[in-house]
Amino acid sequence: MKEQQDLPASKLWTRDFVLLTVSNLFLYLNLQMITPSLPAYVTERFGAGQWTVSLVISLFALSAIVTRFFAGSWLKRGRTTLILLVGLTVYMLATASYYAAGTLALFLLIRILYGIGFGVSSTAFGTMVSDIIPIRRMGEGMGYFGLSTSLSMSAAPVIGLWLLGSYGFDTLILVSTLLAILIIPLSLLIRSTPSASKQATAPAAVPDTRGTYKQVALPCFLNMLLSITYGGLISYLALFGKEVHIGNVGWFFLCNAGAVLLVRPVAGKIFDKKGHFAVLPPGALMVAVGLVLLSYTSSMTGLLASALCYGIGYGILQPSLQAWTVKQVSPEMRGTANGTFYNSIDLGIALGSLLLGGIASGTSYSMMYLLSALAMLLFLAIYVSGTLVKGKKPQAAALRK
């Protein structure tokens, strides 16, 4: 039996799709405004060293990752709207609680709660939107939906660092809390739809969670490698700017955002027509070129050129990898698949912050970015061995089944 939501194959821009995309934008704006500001704040407020700063980032990622394993199972059972509202409430309260973090221990506890709220909310949004996108337009739909993630990851660090530097941490948290509050009424406007598990015609069949993890392992692992490079950017670009004497490196994120905005919708359509082989290799090469250019950059012109290349590659890769992940599984397992995909982002960013930070401490930030390009060469090697060597190059007809 075909899924009900797949019948109107041409209808993508529905009311719910727009609401979900805007809500997801606010969710990630909140996160990406706060994250790059934390190293400087924690160092100044609590006198924290590099290990403690890494712990602040890693605890959030770990709690989000663990939470998503449960969130995927909860979403399979239905009551998606209730689960989403619980996650958003925890997220909003944790954001506001940064005000009360008078000790480092309390600050770390808030980071854990913040990760729990984010893990539930991001998984719910990804699952809900994949349920309403027509399957034959999954790449295009995820491309547009993913703009909310990529744009926030590109522009929000600039906004957050500006608020921190100009008005202080309290103002940054106030603005972030207001964004979290706005998501709740927007989410209430989304019409509740039957979960995929309730639409199934064979209730006796038990979804194979382990099989799902195996099906999505390749695209999610590739996405983790991509996110490792982003972890190096969001954590250390400001320090890199000081090393090479470039002021206002925030322009990198703005140029990156512009490139992502232009390329994501186009990449999604190419994915739908020709499959992931047409988009993943060129996207990985563009990211690698951007990182190599950045490692040799000593001027604003070079910084913007590297941002343009990186943004094009990132804008091609992430929506394609998410669409590939979703298309690998049955509708009732999309919650688990999306949770695994978002976990790969958080794990990659955490690993990038830790591993690349260690490289930078022993060499330089320029060398760190040069070596981080190796992650994309590994990306290509694993992709080729996992698909082409096994004769799994997708055909357009197969993708539209």
Side-chain angles (χ1 to χ4, degrees):
M1 179 179 176
K2 278 185 171 290
E3 296 89 4
Q4 200 173 20
Q5 64 270 27
D6 290 340
L7 295 178
S10 62
K11 193 169 185 181
L12 174 63
W13 289 98
T14 62
R15 177 173 172 269
D16 285 351
F17 181 80
V18 173
L19 287 170
L20 284 165
T21 302
V22 173
S23 298
N24 195 63
L25 173 66
F26 289 166
L27 183 78
Y28 276 87
L29 279 174
N30 173 294
L31 173 68
Q32 299 298 334
M33 283 168 55
I34 293 175
T35 300
S37 305
L38 289 179
Y41 174 76
V42 172
T43 300
E44 180 181 346
R45 177 71 173 80
F46 303 109
Q50 185 174 356
W51 165 250
T52 304
V53 170
S54 298
L55 185 62
V56 167
I57 303 297
S58 301
L59 273 180
F60 161 80
L62 180 61
S63 60
I65 288 169
V66 172
T67 300
R68 285 201 183 102
F69 285 112
F70 295 99
S73 298
W74 297 336
L75 290 167
K76 283 190 299 183
R77 300 170 186 170
R79 311 190 102 182
T80 305
T81 302
L82 177 61
I83 294 169
L84 173 61
L85 290 176
V86 170
L88 289 174
T89 301
V90 173
Y91 191 67
M92 181 268 294
L93 292 175
T95 302
S97 296
Y98 282 116
Y99 281 117
T103 65
L104 182 59
L106 181 57
F107 194 89
L108 293 175
L109 176 61
I110 291 170
R111 289 292 289 168
I112 293 173
L113 294 174
Y114 187 68
I116 292 172
F118 178 77
V120 172
S121 303
S122 59
T123 304
F125 281 142
T127 302
M128 292 167 75
V129 81
S130 64
D131 281 342
I132 66 172
I133 294 174
I135 194 67
R136 295 184 182 182
R137 301 184 68 181
M138 188 62 71
E140 181 186 2
M142 282 300 182
Y144 284 118
F145 176 75
L147 279 175
S148 60
T149 302
S150 292
L151 289 178
S152 61
M153 292 174 77
S154 300
V158 182
I159 300 171
L161 290 171
W162 172 71
L163 287 172
L164 179 67
S166 301
Y167 301 100
F169 189 72
D170 286 352
T171 301
L172 169 62
I173 295 303
L174 175 61
V175 175
S176 301
T177 302
L178 291 175
L179 282 172
I181 292 173
L182 282 174
I183 304 173
I184 295 177
L186 287 175
S187 300
L188 290 173
L189 293 174
I190 299 170
R191 287 187 289 266
S192 179
T193 57
S195 67
S197 59
K198 287 186 177 181
Q199 293 177 17
T201 58
V206 178
D208 182 7
T209 303
R210 286 182 299 177
T212 297
Y213 291 141
K214 185 176 180 179
Q215 288 173 317
V216 304
L218 179 57
C220 287
F221 186 80
L222 295 176
N223 190 56
M224 184 193 73
L225 292 175
L226 174 63
S227 299
I228 285 175
T229 68
Y230 183 77
L233 288 172
I234 197 171
S235 300
Y236 304 113
L237 191 63
L239 298 175
F240 167 76
K242 292 181 180 180
E243 179 181 85
V244 298
H245 307 293
I246 299 178
N248 196 10
V249 292
W251 284 104
F252 178 97
F253 293 106
L254 290 177
C255 184
N256 180 67
V260 168
L261 177 64
L262 291 174
V263 78
R264 280 197 78 137
V266 177
K269 290 181 179 180
I270 295 174
F271 174 90
D272 288 333
K273 292 180 180 179
K274 298 185 177 181
H276 48 73
F277 179 71
V279 289
L280 296 191
L285 288 174
M286 287 302 295
V287 169
V289 168
L291 292 169
V292 172
L293 287 176
L294 181 62
S295 71
Y296 288 104
T297 291
S298 59
S299 66
M300 181 60 70
T301 301
L303 184 77
L304 297 180
S306 65
L308 181 63
C309 292
Y310 187 90
I312 290 172
Y314 194 92
I316 291 172
L317 289 178
Q318 197 177 65
S320 301
L321 288 168
Q322 186 169 13
W324 184 14
T325 299
V326 171
K327 289 172 78 74
Q328 291 290 98
V329 301
S330 58
E332 66 270 14
M333 297 306 295
R334 286 175 184 166
T336 300
N338 274 299
T340 306
F341 180 83
Y342 289 123
N343 273 346
S344 69
I345 297 176
D346 289 334
L347 181 59
I349 290 175
L351 287 174
S353 178
L354 291 171
L355 297 178
L356 296 179
I359 293 174
S361 65
T363 55
S364 66
Y365 291 106
S366 296
M367 179 58 67
M368 179 198 74
Y369 286 124
L370 180 61
L371 293 177
S372 71
L374 294 176
M376 301 317 297
L377 297 182
L378 181 60
F379 180 110
L380 287 170
I382 292 175
Y383 175 70
V384 169
S385 63
T387 56
L388 300 186
V389 171
K390 296 179 181 180
K392 293 183 179 179
K393 178 179 175 180
Q395 301 297 325
L399 286 171
R400 290 194 293 268
K401 66 181 179 180

